[in-house]
Amino acid sequence: MTAVGLVTRPVRVALLVGSARDGRLAPDVAGWFARVAARRDDLVLDVVDVAEHLLPASLDEADPRAAALRPRLAGAEAYVIVVPEYNRSVPGPLKTLIDSFQTEWEAKPVGFVGYGLGMAGGVRAIEHLRQIFAEFHCVGMKDVVTFPRVLEHYDAEGRFAADADGAEAAAKLMLDQLTWWATALREAKAARPYGT
């Protein structure tokens, strides 16, 4: 319910799984995040796995793979990026996917879930993504979810984030911000299209 008592439709959030490497941990981290997000009734997730949508380095917008993905990204009202930190930055296939689209990202909120083998926990990759998405006039969420020393977040049975109370609280805070911004921008764009 909004302040005036009207029911608002759930925010459409695209969850980008940002690694395509063999042996990647991104599906585990994204799966955990998707389970946390699924408890909410104010958003619906569409999971977009970079490994399933490898796009050409030419950034050819007519490429059939880009054309097939375009409606899903354009239809999203917000994004959450699950990103590992590779050499202090973002994975190449994720950057190619981002660069393959323009207006699809424009004036939407973006949240970040980072992880890494070291203590930085993906923060440097997240900071690069903030700069990249600022180019599209996106609103990057201040609060993020990070998993430093990501391998320590697996339990003895190999389940990810078995003890993740702090991470769940961080995810809730970030999603509260993300849905607020998405709803505010939805209403603003309904009153006046962005860029006019």
Side-chain angles (χ1 to χ4, degrees):
M1 296 287 237
T2 65
V4 293
L6 299 175
V7 175
T8 303
R9 74 178 186 274
V11 172
R12 296 182 313 274
V13 179
L15 175 63
L16 274 68
V17 184
S19 172
R21 286 189 180 180
D22 290 342
R24 65 197 175 125
L25 304 177
D28 296 340
V29 179
W32 169 85
F33 184 83
R35 288 189 296 278
V36 171
R39 298 180 199 144
R40 301 175 66 111
D41 61 5
D42 59 348
L43 61 86
V44 291
L45 280 185
D46 177 19
V47 179
V48 176
D49 191 334
V50 169
E52 297 172 5
H53 300 280
L54 293 175
L55 299 178
S58 67
L59 307 182
D60 178 8
E61 64 182 45
D63 181 85
R65 293 164 291 183
L69 188 53
R70 183 168 287 108
R72 291 173 67 187
L73 296 179
E77 297 174 288
Y79 306 97
V80 173
I81 317 294
V82 173
V83 61
E85 184 174 308
Y86 292 164
N87 299 318
R88 296 179 178 250
S89 192
V90 302
L94 174 61
K95 183 66 164 69
T96 299
L97 185 143
I98 294 167
D99 291 346
S100 294
F101 302 96
Q102 298 288 322
T103 58
E104 291 78 9
W105 309 118
E106 195 170 82
K108 296 177 184 177
V110 183
F112 306 101
V113 179
Y115 66 92
L117 296 176
M119 283 303 296
V123 168
R124 292 172 291 211
I126 289 170
E127 290 308 309
H128 284 179
L129 286 173
R130 285 187 192 284
Q131 295 173 50
I132 293 164
F133 278 100
E135 187 68 18
F136 301 111
H137 302 241
C138 290
V139 180
M141 298 303 96
K142 175 186 176 289
D143 293 289
V144 300
V145 182
T146 60
F147 291 99
R149 295 184 175 166
V150 67
L151 296 178
E152 295 177 7
H153 293 275
Y154 286 83
D155 68 13
E157 284 76 42
R159 291 180 301 230
F160 179 74
D163 181 21
D165 290 342
E168 288 194 18
K172 180 189 181 309
L173 179 60
M174 185 262 284
L175 286 170
D176 287 347
Q177 294 171 4
L178 190 81
T179 55
W180 187 93
W181 275 104
T183 302
L185 288 168
R186 175 197 288 166
E187 293 168 0
K189 288 185 265 191
R192 179 179 177 189
Y194 184 75
T196 61

